[in-house]
Amino acid sequence: MTLEETATRIKRMEIRGAGRIARAAAKALLDYSESINDLDQKSYIDRMLRASDLLAGVRPTAVSLPNAVNIISKPLLKAETLQDAKEGLEDRARAFITHSEHAVTRIGEIGARHIRDGDVVMTHCNSEAALQCIVTAHHQGMDIEVYATEVRPRNQGHITIKTLSDAGIRTNFIVDSAARYFMKEVDICITGADAITVNGAVINKIGTSQIALAAKEARVNFLVAAETYKFAPRTILGERILIEERPADEVLPDAILTTLPHVTVRNPTFDITPSEYVDLIITEQGAIPPEMAYTIIKEHLQWDMDNLCTDYPYCEEE
Ligand code: RUB
C-alpha cells in the first residue's frame, strides 16, 4: 500500500481506531522510507517531512497519529548524515509498531486486574485496548457479561460484538440511547481514548461522555484503556483537541436531507469526558488517576519541551 493509499484509507475510516491508525502511519512511513534509495540527504528529509505532515493531519482528533509521526520522524531533524536520518527513522517506525502491539497486551493484563469474576462490563465504540482488558479477563477464567453499544452512525459496535462473540463472551448489543437504562445492571465501564489532555479529560467516540455521566450517577466505575501515545503533549501549551465533524450523509441520506431545507445534520465524531468522570486510566505503564496525565506526557512520551516549542511563537530560543 502506498503512503497516499494509507492516508486515504485512514480518512475513509477503512483503517480506524486510534491505535490502529498510528500503527498504519508508522508502517506507511517505514515502507515509504525504504522505497527511497536515490536521493541526497536534504531531498530525503524534505520528502519524509512532507509525508509525515500528510499522515499526521489526516484525522484531526486522534493524537496517536501526530504523536506516532513525531516520534518516528524525530531523527530527520537531528541526523547529520543521510544514513543516520534513514536508519534512525526506520528503526523508530519498527520500534513504534512493536511497542504499540505490546502496549495493548500489557493494558489488557493490567485492565483485567480491575475486573472481577461475575462483572457486567459496558463498553462503547470499538477500542482494541478496552476490548483487550475484557478478553484478557475472560481468558483468565472470569465469567464476564458485556453491554456493547451500537455506535451510530458508523456502527463500530458491530466490530466489537464480533470480537466478543468470537471470544465466547456473553454480550448484550444495545442502541446508544439505552446506555443509561442498562447502567443499573453494570459493574464497570471500559472505553478507549483518541486523546487525553493534560488535565485528564478523555476524548473518545461521541456518546462516551453520556455513558460516563450515567456511570457516575449510578456509582459505576468508569475506566479508560489508552496507550501512553494517546496523551496530548500540546495541551500543556493550551492547545485544544479539534473534534472531527464528519459528513452529513453518514447520519442521513442525501435523498432525505435535500427534502428538508430547514434541517442541518451535525455529526461530531468524538466528545470530551471531563476527568472527574474518569476513575482510572489504564496505560501500559500502569493504571493512573486522570490527574497524572501531565506525568505521562513528561516522563513516558519522549516528548520534551524542545518539541513543544517547535513553531510555538512564545518559545523562542535565547
Ligand atoms: C474509534 C474510537 C476508539 C478509540 C480507541 O473511533 O473512538 O474508542 O480510537 O481505540 P473511530 P483503540 O472509529 O472514529 O476511529 O483502543 O483501538 O486505539
Coordinates of all heavy atoms in Angstrom, one line a residue, residues 22-114:
A22 N -2.4 4.8 14.1 CA -1.0 5.2 14.5 C 0.0 4.1 13.9 O 1.0 4.4 13.3 CB -0.8 5.3 16.0
R23 N -0.4 2.8 14.1 CA 0.5 1.8 13.5 C 0.5 1.8 12.0 O 1.6 1.6 11.4 CB 0.0 0.4 14.0 CG 0.5 0.1 15.5 CD 0.4 -1.4 15.8 NE -0.9 -1.9 15.7 CZ -1.8 -1.8 16.7 NH1 -1.5 -1.2 17.8 NH2 -3.0 -2.3 16.6
A24 N -0.6 2.1 11.4 CA -0.7 2.2 9.9 C 0.2 3.3 9.4 O 0.9 3.1 8.4 CB -2.1 2.3 9.5
A25 N 0.2 4.4 10.1 CA 1.0 5.6 9.7 C 2.5 5.2 9.9 O 3.3 5.5 9.0 CB 0.7 6.8 10.6
A26 N 2.8 4.5 11.0 CA 4.2 4.1 11.2 C 4.7 3.2 10.0 O 5.8 3.3 9.5 CB 4.3 3.4 12.5
K27 N 3.8 2.2 9.7 CA 4.2 1.3 8.6 C 4.3 2.0 7.3 O 5.2 1.7 6.5 CB 3.0 0.2 8.5 CG 3.2 -0.9 7.5 CD 4.3 -1.9 7.9 CE 4.4 -3.1 7.0 NZ 4.7 -2.9 5.7
A28 N 3.4 3.0 7.0 CA 3.5 3.7 5.8 C 4.8 4.5 5.7 O 5.4 4.6 4.6 CB 2.3 4.7 5.7
L29 N 5.2 5.1 6.8 CA 6.4 5.9 6.8 C 7.6 5.0 6.6 O 8.6 5.3 5.8 CB 6.6 6.7 8.1 CG 5.7 7.9 8.3 CD1 5.9 8.6 9.6 CD2 6.1 9.0 7.2
L30 N 7.6 3.8 7.2 CA 8.7 2.8 7.1 C 8.8 2.4 5.6 O 9.9 2.4 5.0 CB 8.4 1.6 8.0 CG 9.3 0.4 7.9 CD1 10.7 0.8 8.3 CD2 8.9 -0.7 8.8
D31 N 7.6 2.0 5.0 CA 7.7 1.5 3.6 C 8.1 2.6 2.7 O 8.9 2.4 1.8 CB 6.3 1.0 3.2 CG 5.9 -0.3 3.9 OD1 6.7 -0.9 4.6 OD2 4.7 -0.6 3.9
Y32 N 7.6 3.8 3.0 CA 8.0 4.9 2.1 C 9.5 5.2 2.1 O 10.2 5.4 1.1 CB 7.2 6.2 2.5 CG 7.2 7.3 1.6 CD1 6.9 7.2 0.2 CD2 7.6 8.6 2.0 CE1 6.9 8.2 -0.7 CE2 7.7 9.7 1.1 CZ 7.3 9.5 -0.2 OH 7.4 10.5 -1.1
S33 N 10.0 5.2 3.4 CA 11.4 5.5 3.5 C 12.3 4.4 2.9 O 13.2 4.7 2.2 CB 11.8 5.6 5.0 OG 13.2 5.6 5.2
E34 N 11.8 3.1 3.1 CA 12.6 2.0 2.5 C 12.6 2.1 0.9 O 13.5 1.6 0.3 CB 12.0 0.7 2.9 CG 12.4 0.3 4.4 CD 11.8 -0.9 4.9 OE1 10.8 -1.4 4.3 OE2 12.3 -1.5 5.9
S35 N 11.5 2.7 0.4 CA 11.4 2.8 -1.1 C 12.3 3.9 -1.7 O 12.5 4.0 -2.9 CB 10.0 3.0 -1.5 OG 9.6 4.3 -1.2
I36 N 12.9 4.7 -0.8 CA 13.7 5.8 -1.4 C 15.2 5.5 -1.3 O 15.7 5.2 -0.2 CB 13.4 7.1 -0.5 CG1 12.0 7.5 -0.6 CG2 14.3 8.2 -1.0 CD1 11.6 8.7 0.3
N37 N 15.8 5.4 -2.5 CA 17.2 5.0 -2.5 C 18.1 5.9 -3.3 O 19.3 5.7 -3.4 CB 17.3 3.5 -3.0 CG 16.7 2.5 -2.0 OD1 17.1 2.6 -0.9 ND2 15.8 1.7 -2.5
D38 N 17.5 6.9 -3.9 CA 18.3 7.7 -4.9 C 18.3 9.2 -4.6 O 18.5 10.0 -5.5 CB 17.7 7.4 -6.3 CG 16.2 7.7 -6.3 OD1 15.6 7.9 -5.2 OD2 15.6 7.7 -7.3
L39 N 18.1 9.5 -3.3 CA 18.0 11.0 -3.0 C 19.2 11.4 -2.1 O 19.7 10.6 -1.3 CB 16.7 11.3 -2.3 CG 15.4 11.1 -3.1 CD1 14.2 11.5 -2.2 CD2 15.4 12.0 -4.3
D40 N 19.5 12.7 -2.2 CA 20.5 13.2 -1.2 C 19.8 13.4 0.1 O 18.6 13.4 0.2 CB 21.2 14.4 -1.8 CG 20.3 15.5 -2.0 OD1 19.2 15.6 -1.3 OD2 20.5 16.3 -3.0
Q41 N 20.6 13.8 1.1 CA 20.1 13.9 2.5 C 18.9 15.0 2.5 O 17.9 14.7 3.1 CB 21.2 14.4 3.4 CG 20.7 14.4 4.9 CD 21.8 14.8 5.8 OE1 23.0 14.8 5.4 NE2 21.5 15.1 7.0
K42 N 19.2 16.1 1.9 CA 18.2 17.2 2.0 C 16.9 16.7 1.4 O 15.7 16.9 1.9 CB 18.7 18.5 1.4 CG 17.7 19.6 1.5 CD 18.2 20.9 1.1 CE 17.1 22.0 1.2 NZ 15.8 21.6 0.8
S43 N 17.0 16.2 0.2 CA 15.8 15.8 -0.6 C 15.0 14.7 0.2 O 13.8 14.7 0.3 CB 16.1 15.3 -2.0 OG 16.9 16.2 -2.6
Y44 N 15.8 13.7 0.8 CA 15.2 12.6 1.5 C 14.4 13.2 2.7 O 13.2 12.9 2.9 CB 16.2 11.7 2.0 CG 15.7 10.7 3.1 CD1 14.9 9.6 2.7 CD2 15.9 10.9 4.4 CE1 14.4 8.7 3.7 CE2 15.4 10.0 5.4 CZ 14.7 9.0 5.0 OH 14.2 8.1 5.9
I45 N 15.0 14.1 3.4 CA 14.4 14.7 4.6 C 13.2 15.5 4.2 O 12.1 15.4 4.8 CB 15.4 15.6 5.4 CG1 16.4 14.7 6.1 CG2 14.7 16.5 6.5 CD1 17.5 15.4 6.8
D46 N 13.3 16.3 3.2 CA 12.1 17.1 2.7 C 10.9 16.2 2.4 O 9.8 16.4 2.8 CB 12.5 17.9 1.4 CG 13.3 19.1 1.8 OD1 13.5 19.4 3.0 OD2 13.8 19.8 0.9
R47 N 11.3 15.1 1.7 CA 10.2 14.2 1.2 C 9.5 13.5 2.4 O 8.3 13.4 2.5 CB 10.7 13.2 0.2 CG 9.6 12.7 -0.6 CD 10.0 11.7 -1.6 NE 10.6 12.3 -2.8 CZ 10.9 11.6 -3.9 NH1 10.7 10.3 -3.9 NH2 11.4 12.2 -5.0
M48 N 10.4 13.1 3.4 CA 9.8 12.4 4.5 C 9.0 13.4 5.4 O 8.0 13.0 6.0 CB 10.9 11.7 5.3 CG 11.6 10.6 4.7 SD 10.5 9.3 4.0 CE 9.6 8.7 5.5
L49 N 9.5 14.6 5.5 CA 8.7 15.6 6.3 C 7.4 15.9 5.7 O 6.3 16.0 6.4 CB 9.5 16.9 6.5 CG 10.7 16.8 7.5 CD1 11.5 18.1 7.5 CD2 10.2 16.4 8.9
R50 N 7.3 15.9 4.4 CA 6.0 16.1 3.7 C 5.1 14.9 3.9 O 3.9 15.1 4.2 CB 6.3 16.3 2.2 CG 6.6 17.8 1.8 CD 6.2 18.1 0.4 NE 6.8 17.2 -0.6 CZ 8.1 17.4 -1.1 NH1 8.8 18.4 -0.7 NH2 8.6 16.5 -1.9
A51 N 5.7 13.7 3.9 CA 4.9 12.5 4.1 C 4.4 12.5 5.5 O 3.2 12.2 5.8 CB 5.8 11.3 3.9
S52 N 5.2 12.9 6.5 CA 4.8 13.0 7.9 C 3.7 13.9 8.1 O 2.7 13.6 8.8 CB 6.0 13.4 8.8 OG 7.1 12.6 8.6
D53 N 3.8 15.1 7.4 CA 2.7 16.1 7.6 C 1.4 15.6 7.0 O 0.3 15.8 7.6 CB 3.0 17.4 6.8 CG 4.0 18.2 7.6 OD1 4.2 17.9 8.8 OD2 4.5 19.2 7.1
L54 N 1.5 14.9 5.9 CA 0.3 14.4 5.2 C -0.4 13.4 6.2 O -1.6 13.5 6.4 CB 0.7 13.6 3.9 CG -0.4 12.9 3.2 CD1 -1.4 13.8 2.5 CD2 0.1 11.8 2.2
L55 N 0.3 12.5 6.8 CA -0.3 11.5 7.6 C -0.8 12.0 8.9 O -1.8 11.7 9.4 CB 0.8 10.3 7.9 CG 1.1 9.4 6.7 CD1 2.3 8.6 7.0 CD2 -0.1 8.5 6.4
A56 N 0.0 13.0 9.5 CA -0.3 13.5 10.8 C -1.7 14.2 10.9 O -2.4 14.2 11.9 CB 0.8 14.4 11.3
G57 N -2.1 14.8 9.7 CA -3.3 15.6 9.8 C -4.5 14.9 9.2 O -5.6 15.5 9.1
V58 N -4.4 13.6 8.9 CA -5.5 13.0 8.1 C -6.7 12.8 8.9 O -7.8 12.8 8.3 CB -4.9 11.7 7.3 CG1 -4.9 10.6 8.2 CG2 -5.7 11.5 6.1
R59 N -6.6 12.5 10.2 CA -7.8 12.6 11.1 C -7.4 13.5 12.2 O -6.4 13.2 12.9 CB -8.2 11.2 11.5 CG -9.0 10.5 10.5 CD -9.8 9.3 11.0 NE -11.0 9.7 11.7 CZ -11.8 8.8 12.4 NH1 -11.4 7.5 12.5 NH2 -12.9 9.2 12.9
P60 N -8.2 14.5 12.5 CA -7.7 15.6 13.3 C -7.7 15.3 14.8 O -7.0 15.9 15.6 CB -8.6 16.8 13.0 CG -9.8 16.2 12.4 CD -9.4 14.9 11.8
T61 N -8.5 14.3 15.3 CA -8.7 14.2 16.8 C -7.8 13.3 17.4 O -7.2 13.5 18.5 CB -10.2 13.8 17.1 OG1 -11.1 14.8 16.5 CG2 -10.5 13.8 18.6
A62 N -7.5 12.1 16.8 CA -6.7 11.1 17.4 C -5.3 11.5 17.5 O -4.6 11.6 16.5 CB -6.8 9.8 16.6
V63 N -4.8 11.8 18.7 CA -3.5 12.3 18.9 C -2.4 11.3 18.7 O -1.3 11.6 18.5 CB -3.4 12.9 20.4 CG1 -2.0 13.2 20.8 CG2 -4.2 14.2 20.5
S64 N -2.9 10.0 18.7 CA -2.0 8.9 18.4 C -1.3 9.1 17.1 O -0.1 8.7 16.9 CB -2.7 7.6 18.4 OG -3.8 7.7 17.5
L65 N -2.0 9.7 16.2 CA -1.4 9.9 14.8 C -0.3 10.9 14.8 O 0.9 10.5 14.4 CB -2.6 10.3 13.9 CG -2.4 10.1 12.4 CD1 -2.0 8.7 12.1 CD2 -3.8 10.4 11.7
P66 N -0.5 12.2 15.2 CA 0.7 13.1 15.2 C 1.8 12.6 16.2 O 3.0 12.8 15.9 CB 0.1 14.4 15.6 CG -1.2 14.1 16.2 CD -1.7 12.9 15.5
N67 N 1.4 12.0 17.3 CA 2.4 11.5 18.3 C 3.3 10.5 17.6 O 4.5 10.5 17.7 CB 1.7 10.9 19.5 CG 1.4 11.9 20.6 OD1 1.8 13.1 20.5 ND2 0.7 11.5 21.6
A68 N 2.7 9.5 16.9 CA 3.5 8.4 16.2 C 4.4 9.1 15.2 O 5.6 8.8 15.1 CB 2.5 7.4 15.6
V69 N 3.8 10.0 14.4 CA 4.6 10.6 13.3 C 5.7 11.4 13.9 O 6.9 11.3 13.4 CB 3.6 11.4 12.4 CG1 4.5 12.3 11.5 CG2 2.7 10.5 11.6
N70 N 5.5 12.1 15.0 CA 6.6 12.9 15.6 C 7.7 12.1 16.2 O 8.8 12.4 16.0 CB 6.0 13.8 16.7 CG 5.4 15.1 16.1 OD1 5.9 15.6 15.1 ND2 4.2 15.4 16.6
I71 N 7.3 11.0 16.9 CA 8.3 10.1 17.5 C 9.1 9.5 16.4 O 10.4 9.5 16.5 CB 7.6 9.0 18.3 CG1 6.9 9.6 19.5 CG2 8.6 7.9 18.6 CD1 5.9 8.6 20.2
I72 N 8.5 9.1 15.3 CA 9.2 8.4 14.2 C 10.1 9.3 13.4 O 11.2 9.0 13.0 CB 8.2 7.6 13.3 CG1 7.6 6.5 14.1 CG2 8.9 7.1 12.0 CD1 6.3 5.9 13.5
S73 N 9.6 10.5 13.2 CA 10.3 11.4 12.3 C 11.4 12.3 13.0 O 12.1 13.1 12.4 CB 9.4 12.3 11.5 OG 8.6 13.1 12.3
K74 N 11.5 12.1 14.3 CA 12.5 12.9 15.1 C 13.9 12.9 14.5 O 14.6 13.9 14.4 CB 12.5 12.5 16.5 CG 12.8 13.5 17.5 CD 12.5 13.0 18.9 CE 12.8 14.1 19.9 NZ 12.4 13.6 21.3
P75 N 14.4 11.7 14.1 CA 15.8 11.7 13.5 C 16.0 12.6 12.3 O 17.1 13.0 12.0 CB 16.0 10.2 13.1 CG 15.0 9.5 14.0 CD 13.8 10.4 14.1
L76 N 14.9 12.9 11.6 CA 15.0 13.8 10.4 C 15.6 15.1 10.8 O 16.3 15.8 10.1 CB 13.7 14.0 9.7 CG 13.0 12.7 9.2 CD1 11.7 13.1 8.6 CD2 13.9 12.0 8.1
L77 N 15.2 15.6 12.0 CA 15.6 16.9 12.5 C 17.0 17.0 13.0 O 17.6 18.0 13.1 CB 14.6 17.5 13.5 CG 13.1 17.4 13.0 CD1 12.2 17.8 14.2 CD2 12.9 18.3 11.8
K78 N 17.5 15.8 13.5 CA 18.7 15.8 14.2 C 19.9 15.2 13.5 O 21.0 15.4 13.8 CB 18.5 15.2 15.6 CG 17.4 15.9 16.4 CD 17.7 15.8 17.9 CE 16.8 16.8 18.6 NZ 16.1 16.3 19.8
A79 N 19.6 14.3 12.5 CA 20.6 13.5 11.9 C 21.7 14.3 11.1 O 21.4 15.3 10.6 CB 20.0 12.5 10.9
E80 N 22.9 13.8 11.2 CA 24.0 14.5 10.5 C 24.2 14.0 9.1 O 24.8 14.6 8.2 CB 25.3 14.5 11.3 CG 25.1 15.3 12.6 CD 26.3 15.4 13.4 OE1 27.3 14.7 13.1 OE2 26.2 16.1 14.4
T81 N 23.9 12.7 8.9 CA 24.1 12.1 7.5 C 22.7 11.5 7.0 O 21.8 11.3 7.8 CB 25.1 11.0 7.6 OG1 24.5 9.9 8.4 CG2 26.4 11.4 8.2
L82 N 22.7 11.3 5.8 CA 21.5 10.6 5.2 C 21.3 9.3 5.8 O 20.1 8.9 6.2 CB 21.8 10.4 3.7 CG 20.7 9.6 2.9 CD1 19.3 10.2 3.0 CD2 21.1 9.4 1.5
Q83 N 22.4 8.5 6.1 CA 22.2 7.2 6.7 C 21.6 7.3 8.1 O 20.8 6.5 8.4 CB 23.6 6.5 6.7 CG 23.5 5.0 7.0 CD 24.8 4.4 7.1 OE1 25.9 5.0 7.0 NE2 24.8 3.1 7.4
D84 N 22.1 8.3 8.8 CA 21.6 8.5 10.2 C 20.1 8.8 10.2 O 19.3 8.2 10.9 CB 22.2 9.7 10.9 CG 23.6 9.4 11.4 OD1 24.0 8.2 11.3 OD2 24.3 10.3 11.9
A85 N 19.7 9.6 9.2 CA 18.3 10.0 9.1 C 17.4 8.8 8.7 O 16.4 8.5 9.4 CB 18.1 11.1 8.1
K86 N 17.9 8.1 7.7 CA 17.1 7.0 7.2 C 17.0 5.8 8.2 O 15.9 5.3 8.5 CB 17.7 6.6 5.8 CG 16.8 5.8 4.9 CD 17.4 5.8 3.5 CE 16.8 4.8 2.6 NZ 15.9 3.8 2.9
E87 N 18.2 5.4 8.7 CA 18.2 4.3 9.6 C 17.4 4.7 10.9 O 16.7 3.9 11.5 CB 19.6 3.9 9.9 CG 20.2 3.1 8.8 CD 21.6 2.6 9.1 OE1 22.1 2.8 10.2 OE2 22.2 2.1 8.2
G88 N 17.7 5.9 11.3 CA 17.0 6.4 12.6 C 15.5 6.3 12.4 O 14.8 5.8 13.3
L89 N 15.0 6.8 11.3 CA 13.5 6.9 11.1 C 13.0 5.4 11.0 O 12.0 5.1 11.6 CB 13.2 7.7 9.8 CG 11.7 7.8 9.5 CD1 11.3 9.1 9.0 CD2 11.2 6.7 8.5
E90 N 13.7 4.6 10.2 CA 13.2 3.2 10.0 C 13.2 2.4 11.3 O 12.2 1.7 11.6 CB 14.0 2.6 8.9 CG 13.6 3.2 7.5 CD 14.5 2.8 6.4 OE1 15.3 1.8 6.6 OE2 14.5 3.4 5.3
D91 N 14.3 2.6 12.1 CA 14.3 1.9 13.4 C 13.2 2.3 14.3 O 12.6 1.5 15.0 CB 15.7 2.2 14.1 CG 16.8 1.5 13.5 OD1 16.6 0.6 12.6 OD2 18.0 1.8 13.8
R92 N 12.9 3.7 14.3 CA 11.9 4.2 15.2 C 10.5 3.7 14.8 O 9.6 3.4 15.6 CB 11.9 5.7 15.2 CG 12.9 6.2 16.3 CD 13.0 7.7 16.2 NE 13.8 8.2 17.2 CZ 13.4 8.9 18.3 NH1 12.1 9.2 18.4 NH2 14.2 9.3 19.2
A93 N 10.3 3.6 13.4 CA 9.0 3.1 12.9 C 8.8 1.7 13.4 O 7.7 1.3 13.9 CB 8.9 3.3 11.4
R94 N 9.8 0.8 13.2 CA 9.7 -0.6 13.6 C 9.4 -0.6 15.1 O 8.6 -1.4 15.6 CB 10.9 -1.4 13.3 CG 11.0 -1.6 11.8 CD 12.2 -2.6 11.5 NE 12.6 -2.4 10.1 CZ 13.6 -1.6 9.7 NH1 14.4 -1.0 10.6 NH2 13.9 -1.5 8.4
A95 N 10.2 0.1 15.9 CA 10.1 0.1 17.4 C 8.7 0.6 17.8 O 8.1 0.0 18.7 CB 11.1 1.0 18.0
F96 N 8.1 1.6 17.1 CA 6.8 2.1 17.5 C 5.8 1.0 17.3 O 4.9 0.8 18.2 CB 6.4 3.3 16.6 CG 5.1 3.9 17.0 CD1 5.0 4.8 18.1 CD2 3.9 3.4 16.4 CE1 3.7 5.2 18.5 CE2 2.7 3.9 16.8 CZ 2.6 4.8 17.8
I97 N 5.8 0.3 16.2 CA 4.8 -0.7 15.9 C 4.9 -1.8 17.0 O 3.9 -2.2 17.5 CB 5.0 -1.3 14.5 CG1 4.8 -0.2 13.4 CG2 4.1 -2.5 14.2 CD1 5.2 -0.6 12.0
T98 N 6.1 -2.3 17.3 CA 6.3 -3.3 18.3 C 5.8 -2.8 19.6 O 5.1 -3.5 20.3 CB 7.8 -3.7 18.4 OG1 8.2 -4.0 17.1 CG2 8.0 -4.9 19.3
H99 N 6.2 -1.6 20.0 CA 5.8 -1.1 21.3 C 4.3 -1.0 21.4 O 3.7 -1.3 22.4 CB 6.4 0.3 21.5 CG 5.8 1.1 22.7 ND1 6.2 0.9 23.9 CD2 4.7 1.9 22.7 CE1 5.5 1.6 24.7 NE2 4.6 2.3 24.0
S100 N 3.7 -0.5 20.3 CA 2.2 -0.3 20.3 C 1.5 -1.6 20.5 O 0.5 -1.7 21.3 CB 1.8 0.4 19.0 OG 0.5 0.3 18.8
E101 N 2.0 -2.7 19.8 CA 1.4 -4.0 20.0 C 1.5 -4.5 21.4 O 0.6 -5.0 22.0 CB 1.9 -5.0 19.0 CG 1.4 -4.7 17.6 CD 2.2 -5.4 16.5 OE1 3.3 -6.0 16.8 OE2 1.8 -5.3 15.3
H102 N 2.7 -4.4 21.9 CA 3.0 -4.9 23.3 C 2.2 -4.1 24.3 O 1.7 -4.6 25.3 CB 4.5 -4.7 23.7 CG 5.3 -5.8 23.0 ND1 6.7 -5.7 22.9 CD2 5.0 -6.9 22.4 CE1 7.1 -6.8 22.3 NE2 6.1 -7.5 21.9
A103 N 2.0 -2.8 24.0 CA 1.3 -1.9 25.0 C -0.2 -2.4 25.1 O -0.7 -2.4 26.2 CB 1.3 -0.4 24.5
V104 N -0.8 -2.8 24.0 CA -2.2 -3.3 24.1 C -2.2 -4.5 25.0 O -3.1 -4.7 25.8 CB -2.7 -3.5 22.7 CG1 -4.1 -4.2 22.8 CG2 -2.8 -2.2 21.9
T105 N -1.3 -5.4 24.8 CA -1.2 -6.7 25.6 C -1.1 -6.3 27.1 O -1.8 -6.8 27.9 CB -0.1 -7.6 25.2 OG1 -0.1 -7.7 23.7 CG2 -0.1 -8.9 25.8
R106 N -0.2 -5.4 27.4 CA 0.1 -5.0 28.7 C -1.1 -4.3 29.4 O -1.5 -4.6 30.5 CB 1.3 -4.1 28.7 CG 1.8 -3.7 30.1 CD 2.7 -4.7 30.7 NE 3.0 -4.4 32.1 CZ 2.7 -5.1 33.1 NH1 2.0 -6.3 33.0 NH2 3.0 -4.7 34.4
I107 N -1.8 -3.5 28.6 CA -3.0 -2.8 29.1 C -4.1 -3.9 29.4 O -4.7 -3.8 30.4 CB -3.5 -1.8 28.0 CG1 -2.6 -0.6 28.0 CG2 -5.0 -1.4 28.3 CD1 -2.9 0.4 26.9
G108 N -4.1 -4.9 28.6 CA -5.1 -6.0 28.8 C -4.8 -6.7 30.2 O -5.7 -6.9 31.0
E109 N -3.5 -6.9 30.4 CA -3.1 -7.6 31.7 C -3.5 -6.7 32.9 O -4.0 -7.2 33.9 CB -1.6 -7.9 31.7 CG -1.2 -9.0 30.7 CD 0.3 -8.9 30.5 OE1 1.0 -8.1 31.1 OE2 0.7 -9.7 29.6
I110 N -3.2 -5.4 32.8 CA -3.4 -4.5 33.9 C -4.9 -4.3 34.1 O -5.5 -4.3 35.2 CB -2.6 -3.2 33.7 CG1 -1.1 -3.4 33.7 CG2 -3.0 -2.2 34.8 CD1 -0.3 -2.2 33.3
G111 N -5.6 -4.1 32.9 CA -7.0 -3.8 33.0 C -7.8 -5.0 33.5 O -8.8 -4.8 34.3
A112 N -7.4 -6.2 33.2 CA -8.1 -7.4 33.7 C -8.1 -7.4 35.2 O -9.0 -8.0 35.8 CB -7.5 -8.6 33.1
R113 N -7.1 -6.9 35.8 CA -7.0 -6.9 37.3 C -8.1 -6.0 38.0 O -8.3 -6.1 39.1 CB -5.6 -6.4 37.8 CG -4.5 -7.3 37.4 CD -3.2 -7.1 38.1 NE -2.2 -7.9 37.5 CZ -1.1 -7.4 36.9 NH1 -0.9 -6.1 36.9 NH2 -0.2 -8.2 36.4
H114 N -8.6 -5.1 37.1 CA -9.7 -4.3 37.7 C -11.1 -4.8 37.4 O -12.1 -4.2 37.8 CB -9.6 -2.9 37.1 CG -8.3 -2.2 37.6 ND1 -8.3 -1.4 38.7 CD2 -7.1 -2.2 37.1 CE1 -7.1 -0.9 38.9 NE2 -6.3 -1.4 37.9

